Amino acid sequence: MRAGLRVALIDGNEQDRALIKRELQRAFDNVAIREVTDRAEFDRLIEENGYDVLITDYQFGWGDGLEALKTSKLRYPDVPVIMFTARANEEMVAEAMKSGLDDYVVKSPKRFVRIPAAVRISLEHAAAQNAKDAAEKRLSLTLHELHEQREWLSTMLRSIASGVIATDLEGRVRLMNPSAEKQTGWSAGSALGRDIGEVMHLAEESGKPVAETPVKLALRGDSRAAEEHDYTLISRTGRRITIIDGASPIRDESGKILGAVTVIRDISERKHMVRDLARSNQELQHFTYAAAHDLREPVRTVRAFTELLETRHSAALTGEGPRILSYIASAARRMEELVDGLFQYGQASNADSDLADVSLDDVLRTVTGAMRKQLEETHAKVEWNGLPPLRADRNQLAVVFQNLISNAIKYRGRNPPEVEITADAFEGEWRFCVADNGIGIAPRHQGRIFNIFERVHPHDYPGAGIGLSICRRLIERQGGRIWVESEEGKGSRFCFTFPRPE
């Protein structure tokens, strides 16, 4: 029993109080006994909560033990009350027990020694009851929290547009949300306990059943389970939808796999939109190519006859005639440039990629060889060193470098053109840069120069504004991207990327 026990003692007999005190002091170390001899002292005791156990007689001069019992239990229901009386009878004991009495001892010379045992038992019983009450309270709070969490989880799962299915370690369905019910055609009640392969039937695009499903991989702890792939989900009614599916293992605190959870996203509509868009783009590209092809001949005819008029009949024209004829000739030449550019862009868009292992050194030697006259006339230098081999279309790569080198020569400054081609390896890609010492590009123009027919200097430099558009088109088809880093008057640096196999 703990030291520092506080005992409140109510008894009108001074001799009995002395005997009780003697027995308590023998049994407990450091016990503090507070004798209550009148109503005022009892009221102070109740207000101060200054006792751990109350020992009271059944009757005393200023009151009775039953009243003291009820008053104490009303304020401090967990504090034990023991009645020590010579007037114990069944009726009195029954009434006292109903009011919360913890124990009673019949007052007699031989029974005083029982007082410490009664105190000890009552305190132990009170401590056990308090521990039980605290445990029940904690359990109640825990159950309440679990109920709230379950309700929250249920609400969350109902609100998710994607399908969610959880399984146990054997792959049997333990949970599925309404979206998964709609996608699979199974109700949660019907699916519960069934194998995930029966509820969620996956097929490849070819129609072949998927052997290694994400859930099976997750249950084995295979990291490939998290990789999302497109599948065909065949519902219970036979309806087919295109989904993206991935799974993760469910683990306990020690890392042991308990089951798996898979998330199903229906992308059928998006898939149809992508197909429709791809078909529309292809039709537009074919139309552009065909239109440009068909327009080339009449545009050349207009230009040829306009130049014939200029050379043979310009002297016969009077007034505004020569100037108007000059406008027509200029417009015909510009139209021919645009149609030729459109034709080239159509060729780039429709050309199939012939992928092979390509030596960039060989490509650049071919490109600069074809441009030898242009390079010599402008005293241009094109330098590169140790470029990596690529898996790419050789002809398309040559077109990209030829356009970028041609632009460096066309938009040169006062000094002879200097072009440096470099390559750097980054995670998952190669980055190539074609740097020049030309006139540069102002920041306000850098975002639009890759658009078709966009020209920063339409009156100072010839061209249709198609070269960089073709470069972007060809590079993006190879899985790369292109951009420019430049400052007006300080040259330009055109960079583009290509995927680099791991």
Side-chain angles (χ1 to χ4, degrees):
M1 194 59 60
R2 68 183 179 88
L5 176 65
R6 301 173 302 166
V7 177
L9 177 58
I10 305 175
D11 197 310
N13 189 312
E14 184 177 356
Q15 184 178 1
D16 287 346
R17 293 201 306 271
L19 290 173
I20 294 171
K21 289 171 59 178
R22 183 190 68 186
E23 295 303 324
L24 291 174
Q25 289 169 346
R26 285 178 177 177
F28 303 109
D29 295 330
N30 194 23
V31 61
I33 302 172
R34 183 171 179 175
E35 298 179 58
V36 180
T37 58
D38 56 39
R39 168 65 66 179
E41 180 66 18
F42 180 71
D43 291 341
R44 283 195 297 273
L45 176 73
I46 295 299
E47 289 299 323
E48 294 170 4
N49 187 20
Y51 60 105
D52 301 313
V53 62
L54 173 64
I55 301 175
T56 180
D57 196 353
Y58 182 68
Q59 286 187 335
F60 36 86
W62 50 271
D64 64 68
L66 196 58
E67 180 187 359
L69 165 66
K70 292 178 179 179
T71 302
S72 179
K73 286 295 183 180
L74 182 64
R75 290 291 297 271
Y76 313 114
D78 297 333
V79 174
V81 177
I82 300 169
M83 194 168 286
F84 185 51
T85 179
R87 300 182 180 183
N89 57 62
E90 290 183 5
E91 184 178 348
M92 182 272 290
V93 171
E95 185 178 2
M97 287 297 182
K98 288 179 182 179
S99 299
L101 185 68
D102 293 272
D103 200 357
Y104 76 94
V105 179
V106 178
K107 186 180 289 188
S108 71
K110 295 181 179 180
R111 299 293 180 93
F112 279 93
V113 294
R114 279 206 61 233
I115 292 293
V119 170
R120 185 176 289 108
I121 292 171
S122 296
L123 288 171
E124 290 175 350
H125 175 75
Q129 187 62 43
N130 289 339
K132 178 184 176 183
D133 292 343
E136 289 178 349
K137 185 176 181 180
R138 288 194 299 271
L139 177 60
S140 177
L141 289 173
T142 301
L143 291 175
H144 179 70
E145 290 176 358
L146 287 174
H147 177 74
E148 287 189 338
Q149 290 177 4
R150 183 174 180 178
E151 287 297 314
W152 182 84
L153 177 61
S154 177
T155 301
M156 180 189 69
L157 289 173
R158 287 196 303 269
S159 303
I160 294 176
S162 300
V164 179
I165 301 178
T167 76
D168 60 16
L169 188 59
E170 303 300 323
R172 295 184 293 262
V173 174
R174 297 294 301 274
L175 176 149
M176 65 190 302
N177 70 343
S179 294
E181 290 180 310
K182 182 179 179 181
Q183 291 163 344
T184 63
W186 287 83
S187 67
S190 300
L192 195 65
R194 294 180 182 271
D195 186 88
I196 183 68
E198 182 182 359
V199 174
M200 188 178 172
H201 183 57
L202 297 181
E204 298 175 357
E205 194 169 338
S206 63
K208 180 182 178 182
V210 178
E212 292 289 282
T213 64
V215 168
K216 288 184 178 180
L217 294 173
L219 291 173
R220 296 205 306 264
D222 194 317
S223 61
R224 292 177 297 166
E227 299 174 1
E228 294 186 331
H229 296 284
D230 293 6
Y231 299 104
T232 298
L233 174 61
I234 305 173
S235 76
R236 192 179 187 181
T237 61
R239 185 173 69 99
R240 294 171 178 259
I241 61 173
T242 304
I243 65 167
I244 292 178
D245 185 34
S248 299
I250 301 171
R251 301 178 185 270
D252 62 14
E253 293 181 356
S254 66
K256 181 182 177 181
I257 295 178
L258 304 177
V261 60
T262 182
V263 177
I264 312 161
R265 283 183 288 162
D266 185 349
I267 60 167
S268 300
E269 186 176 350
R270 187 174 74 185
K271 202 79 170 179
H272 289 311
M273 291 175 63
V274 168
R275 290 196 189 102
D276 291 344
L277 182 60
R279 185 170 58 252
S280 297
N281 284 339
Q282 189 174 27
E283 290 173 355
L284 181 60
Q285 290 169 8
H286 286 315
F287 172 78
T288 302
Y289 180 73
H293 182 273
D294 292 344
L295 284 172
R296 292 179 82 187
E297 191 58 35
V299 167
R300 285 176 178 173
T301 301
V302 172
R303 178 182 174 185
F305 278 103
T306 303
E307 290 176 350
L308 184 64
L309 284 172
E310 279 186 312
T311 55
R312 295 186 181 182
H313 303 288
S314 59
L317 297 175
T318 59
E320 293 291 318
R323 188 163 64 89
I324 293 173
L325 185 61
S326 175
Y327 288 156
I328 294 173
S330 177
R333 285 191 291 272
R334 175 61 180 157
M335 187 180 296
E336 186 176 22
E337 287 179 350
L338 292 176
V339 171
D340 283 343
L342 194 61
F343 183 74
Q344 293 171 22
Y345 187 79
Q347 282 184 315
S349 298
N350 288 285
D352 293 328
S353 297
D354 184 14
L355 299 182
D357 293 330
V358 176
S359 166
L360 287 183
D361 292 337
D362 290 344
V363 171
L364 286 170
R365 278 193 290 267
T366 301
V367 170
T368 53
M371 299 176 65
R372 179 177 299 171
K373 182 178 180 181
Q374 188 179 5
L375 296 173
E376 290 175 351
E377 289 176 350
T378 57
H379 304 287
K381 292 182 181 179
V382 181
E383 297 180 346
W384 68 89
N385 185 28
L387 299 180
L390 283 181
R391 182 77 178 170
D393 186 294
R394 178 186 178 91
N395 294 330
Q396 293 179 11
L397 206 55
V399 170
V400 170
F401 279 113
Q402 183 172 349
N403 273 298
L404 295 178
I405 295 171
S406 295
N407 278 355
I409 294 172
K410 180 192 292 187
Y411 299 104
R412 62 185 179 273
R414 295 181 179 179
N415 298 321
E418 294 181 2
V419 181
E420 183 182 13
I421 302 169
T422 59
D424 294 291
F426 289 85
E427 184 176 355
E429 64 182 18
W430 284 107
R431 182 176 299 175
F432 299 94
C433 290
V434 180
D436 63 52
N437 62 339
I439 62 175
I441 305 168
R444 66 181 182 277
H445 299 307
Q446 292 176 15
R448 64 184 182 89
I449 59 174
F450 296 99
N451 296 333
I452 189 169
F453 299 138
E454 286 282 358
R455 293 193 300 162
V456 177
H457 309 281
H459 305 296
D460 300 326
Y461 297 90
I466 199 75
L468 291 178
S469 301
I470 292 175
C471 288
R472 183 175 69 174
R473 183 66 178 165
L474 294 178
I475 289 169
E476 288 180 348
R477 291 185 65 185
Q478 304 276 343
R481 63 190 191 281
I482 185 170
W483 68 96
V484 64
E485 299 168 356
S486 182
E487 187 176 344
E488 197 168 13
K490 296 186 178 180
S492 300
R493 190 166 179 260
F494 285 88
C495 299
F496 61 92
T497 64
F498 261 77
R500 180 165 67 97
E502 295 297 333

